[in-house]
Amino acid sequence: MRATGGEQPSRLRVSALVWEAEGVLSVHLARPDGAHLPAWTPGAHLDLHLPGGLVRQYSLSGSPADRTTWRITVLREPASRGGSREVHEVLRPGDVVDVSGPRNNFALPQVTTARYRFIAGGIGITPLLPMIERVASAGADWTLLYGGRSRSSMAFLAELSRHGERVVVRPQDEYGLLDLVDHLGPPTPDTSVFCCGPEPLLAAVEQVCGSWPPGTLHVERFAPKLYAAAPETDTHAEAFEVVLHRTGRTVTVPAGRSILDALEDHRIDVPNSCREGICGTCETKVIDGVPEHRDSLLSPEERAANDTMMICVGRSRGPRLTLDL
């Protein structure tokens, strides 16, 4: 299961807004009483409850050592569904917002690996910043390959400049696509690769690392990975039953609906947020049965274990699934 913070939202004050690059805004959050915020680890994100009712996930991009302020960084998306627009146009210093978390689906393990290779595309730099701080302070061997549309759109270049040649900045309008093979080098068993960015970059990194040792690559997506099941295994058109282990109640999940949808139809509330299989809020333990995973979060090893699933998108490969609900 993902490491989670308290699910009850905290009331935090917007203490500052800082422009990091063209269209990229950092929001600094603090407790109104000035007390310390909960501890968090590199790779964690928050659920930001916006004044208009939307809930969006944003990576913590500041330092875990700073217990007085949380920093999230938001790209103004031209095709925004409303979240980034509201952050950029509505939030102002002094506003008070609800925040859930932190939650970590992209954790950096204890620094023991010999080499770390970080790859960021655009706003994907945000969860990598605290990771870099951690491995740098531990004296590990690391490099960052950072791409974006142009230098003007790439956040935190000044902040990263103190690391010198370990950071390779490659704006697309100057260099073209990132040279992943050159940055990563040959497969080695003592290397960890962390990547965050748009789907084409993640797909390219997954392809390059396909022959690397299992567990080498760690990615975080800001949008769901395209799901494509083989026709003979796709259960989207089949109804099935979900047994709620804690109560013994059985709920039928109709064709074309998620488990979360069916539970809500029966007024059964389960914590959830993104409804796209990327945030981990609705992760649920599987007691019996075989889930069909449609999320963009679980590793291949976790999928194969079939002991947990994201019920906002997942379904069942059989007629019945028993969940720890």
Side-chain angles (χ1 to χ4, degrees):
M1 301 287 283
R2 308 314 96 178
T4 61
E7 292 302 330
Q8 287 299 114
S10 301
R11 299 283 285 171
L12 300 182
R13 186 184 70 253
V14 178
S15 58
L17 296 173
V18 179
W19 287 106
E20 306 292 357
E22 182 180 302
V24 182
L25 183 68
S26 278
V27 180
H28 295 235
L29 300 164
R31 284 188 165 170
D33 61 3
H36 275 190
L37 293 161
W40 58 279
T41 55
H45 71 266
L46 300 176
D47 293 345
L48 180 65
H49 301 248
L50 292 163
L54 296 173
V55 180
R56 294 291 184 265
Q57 292 76 42
Y58 297 110
S59 297
L60 284 161
S61 61
S63 172
D66 183 356
R67 297 290 300 277
T68 64
T69 304
W70 282 344
R71 182 179 72 180
I72 59 173
T73 307
V74 183
L75 169 68
R76 174 62 189 266
E77 296 278 3
S80 170
R81 293 178 299 166
S84 70
R85 179 201 59 78
E86 192 167 352
V87 169
H88 279 248
E89 297 182 6
V90 177
L91 284 189
R92 294 294 180 266
D95 289 349
V96 176
V97 293
D98 287 336
V99 172
S100 299
R103 183 180 301 109
N104 202 334
N105 305 324
F106 189 43
L108 175 73
Q110 184 177 355
V111 180
T112 56
T113 302
R115 299 196 311 158
Y116 292 83
R117 297 296 176 255
F118 298 104
I119 303 171
I123 198 64
I125 189 63
T126 54
L128 301 184
L129 291 173
M131 293 186 181
I132 289 169
E133 177 183 316
R134 175 69 58 83
V135 300
S137 64
D141 174 6
W142 67 273
T143 59
L144 166 67
L145 179 62
Y146 181 18
R149 296 188 311 275
S150 63
R151 289 183 187 273
S152 63
S153 69
M154 297 172 67
F156 304 112
L157 292 181
E159 186 172 314
L160 289 165
S161 65
R162 63 188 176 91
H163 296 296
E165 294 182 354
R166 289 184 182 273
V167 176
V168 179
V169 177
R170 291 291 183 266
Q172 187 172 353
D173 62 352
E174 298 177 30
Y175 294 92
L177 297 178
L178 296 178
D179 190 340
L180 301 174
V181 174
D182 179 69
H183 178 69
L184 292 172
T188 55
D190 59 352
T191 299
S192 289
V193 180
F194 288 82
C195 179
C196 185
E199 184 59 33
L201 173 62
L202 299 183
V205 173
E206 287 175 334
Q207 183 176 10
V208 172
C209 291
S211 61
W212 287 50
T216 295
L217 178 60
H218 310 266
V219 302
E220 182 170 60
R221 287 177 159 86
F222 292 144
K225 186 176 183 178
L226 292 178
Y227 172 82
E232 65 272 16
T233 62
D234 190 354
T235 65
H236 199 59
E238 301 291 333
F240 61 94
E241 292 182 337
V242 167
V243 178
L244 310 185
H245 180 70
R246 300 179 195 175
T247 64
R249 185 175 178 181
T250 299
V251 172
T252 298
V253 181
R257 302 277 282 170
S258 71
I259 296 170
L260 180 61
D261 291 333
L263 294 178
E264 291 181 337
D265 289 344
H266 288 79
R267 298 184 180 181
I268 299 170
D269 294 325
V270 178
N272 69 91
S273 182
C274 73
R275 305 184 78 95
E276 295 183 313
I278 58 175
C279 77
T281 305
C282 71
E283 184 173 7
T284 302
K285 183 179 179 181
V286 178
I287 303 296
D288 190 38
V290 181
E292 181 178 284
H293 301 288
R294 296 168 176 257
D295 63 273
S296 304
L297 188 57
L298 294 176
S299 68
E301 294 79 14
E302 289 171 323
R303 286 173 176 248
N306 284 325
D307 55 10
T308 187
M309 69 181 300
M310 307 303 155
I311 63 171
C312 67
V313 290
R315 289 175 58 79
S316 176
R317 291 199 177 276
R320 176 169 290 202
L321 200 61
T322 302
L323 300 178
D324 187 19
L325 292 171

